[in-house]
Amino acid sequence: MDASLLDRFPESMPEVRIEVLEEGTDHSVLCDELQWWFVVPCPGETTTARWYDRATGQVTSVRESERAAAPLEESPDSVRFGIRETTFPTEGGEPVERLIRFTAQLTSESATFLSVEVDGARSDSSQPGFAENWGDARGRLLRDGNRLVRTGPRDFHSERDEGARADLVDLSIGGSTRRALRLLDLGPGAEPSEFGEAVVDLETGRTLVYWQYRPEGWDADADLWWAAHPGEGLVIDGVRFQRRNCTGRDEIALTDHAVRLLAP
């Protein structure tokens, strides 16, 4: 990643606005990324993203490619790459770093993880549960799956147990706007679980911003979160989902593609 692009990432969270143009849209977009790692498994690919705390605007973590993705000698249609994550503790102290190394493949139908190594522990696609842990490839074509019907401002009812929710939106960051597809990427099944909301550029198919939701039953302080964040969660089939990620923070990720396309 070139230094000039890194310098264009804002030091604090910029203003992010989403205007919904068409709910449950017929528009679709072809996304070649490993969802939601913001990188295409092709030679030469790199990725950079920054997460911002919505309340304070501060950078909470950074994800950068260790090096550009390179083809595997034994399988030229697959690549190997590493991503370095740096997390900044809320209570201060030294940043925490970890290196995640992947092998992955891009086919005509999907972008698929083949193996993952975290802190020396390696798992691969031959092991049970691997796809569930690292994102079962649901295809590169992102579109509305007729799964969720809106029943209120932030309330939804499920019509089926598979498929994403997609809306056509205008995404504005710092005053610049792009036409995009906003997705609620719920996993298959009726059991409440963590899921992501991504805004994917309609022209390039690259993720611009991303955040997550988790069911309130996962957190003992859920009632406190709801009181402090009115109107910022979702309700699906009567289950309340907090806009929080796996760390418990309410964060939004801004990718290098958003910086290229929208940074002033």
Side-chain angles (χ1 to χ4, degrees):
M1 186 61 58
D2 62 271
S4 61
L5 180 60
L6 290 175
D7 291 341
R8 289 172 60 189
F9 271 92
E11 288 302 313
S12 61
M13 178 182 163
E15 182 183 35
V16 177
R17 299 179 64 87
I18 294 175
E19 179 186 358
V20 178
L21 306 176
E22 187 177 294
E23 293 192 356
T25 182
D26 289 333
H27 283 78
S28 61
V29 63
L30 194 65
C31 179
D32 295 338
E33 296 176 348
L34 287 162
Q35 299 165 10
W36 297 100
W37 288 81
F38 320 135
V39 63
V40 175
C42 287
E45 272 285 314
T46 60
T47 181
T48 301
R50 289 189 177 184
W51 273 254
Y52 298 86
D53 182 273
R54 290 182 188 262
T56 66
Q58 295 178 327
V59 176
T60 57
S61 62
V62 176
R63 182 187 292 172
E64 299 174 273
S65 292
E66 179 190 22
R67 60 176 67 89
L72 298 175
E73 291 183 6
E74 64 274 21
S75 180
D77 64 340
S78 303
V79 297
R80 175 184 290 110
F81 61 96
I83 292 177
R84 180 174 288 106
E85 286 188 338
T86 305
T87 302
F88 305 99
T90 54
E91 66 278 5
E94 293 299 315
V96 177
E97 290 192 359
R98 68 170 182 167
L99 180 61
I100 308 171
R101 290 194 167 104
F102 301 92
T103 61
Q105 181 182 54
L106 181 67
T107 70
S108 60
E109 296 182 352
S110 64
T112 308
F113 291 100
L114 302 178
S115 70
V116 180
E117 182 180 328
V118 184
D119 298 329
R122 186 182 186 277
S123 57
D124 61 45
S125 56
S126 68
Q127 298 170 328
F130 178 83
E132 290 82 356
N133 289 333
W134 289 99
D136 195 3
R138 294 193 286 277
R140 292 161 56 190
L141 185 65
L142 305 180
R143 59 187 173 189
D144 188 74
N146 300 312
R147 179 174 183 173
L148 296 180
V149 175
R150 182 183 296 280
T151 55
R154 300 186 68 82
D155 290 25
F156 296 90
H157 169 70
S158 294
E159 293 288 301
R160 46 186 302 212
D161 291 340
E162 281 197 63
R165 160 83 182 199
D167 300 321
L168 182 68
V169 301
D170 274 344
L171 171 71
S172 299
I173 299 178
S176 298
T177 302
R178 296 284 294 191
R179 190 63 48 86
L181 204 67
R182 182 182 66 179
L183 294 120
L184 297 182
D185 186 36
L186 288 79
E191 187 70 23
S193 63
E194 189 175 72
F195 65 90
E197 182 165 347
V199 180
V200 180
D201 185 59
L202 207 59
E203 183 177 334
T204 65
R206 302 308 298 258
T207 303
L208 302 175
V209 295
Y210 176 80
W211 58 95
Q212 291 172 298
Y213 293 88
R214 56 194 288 155
E216 66 174 356
W218 289 18
D219 299 288
D221 64 343
D223 286 339
L224 293 175
W225 188 93
W226 280 95
H229 299 81
E232 295 178 2
L234 297 177
V235 180
I236 300 176
D237 298 329
V239 177
R240 297 196 302 179
F241 287 82
Q242 307 161 86
R243 194 180 62 190
R244 303 168 82 174
N245 61 18
C246 59
T247 68
R249 292 174 170 177
D250 181 11
E251 301 175 335
I252 184 171
L254 184 69
T255 70
D256 49 356
H257 306 290
V259 170
R260 287 190 182 96
L261 296 171
L262 291 162

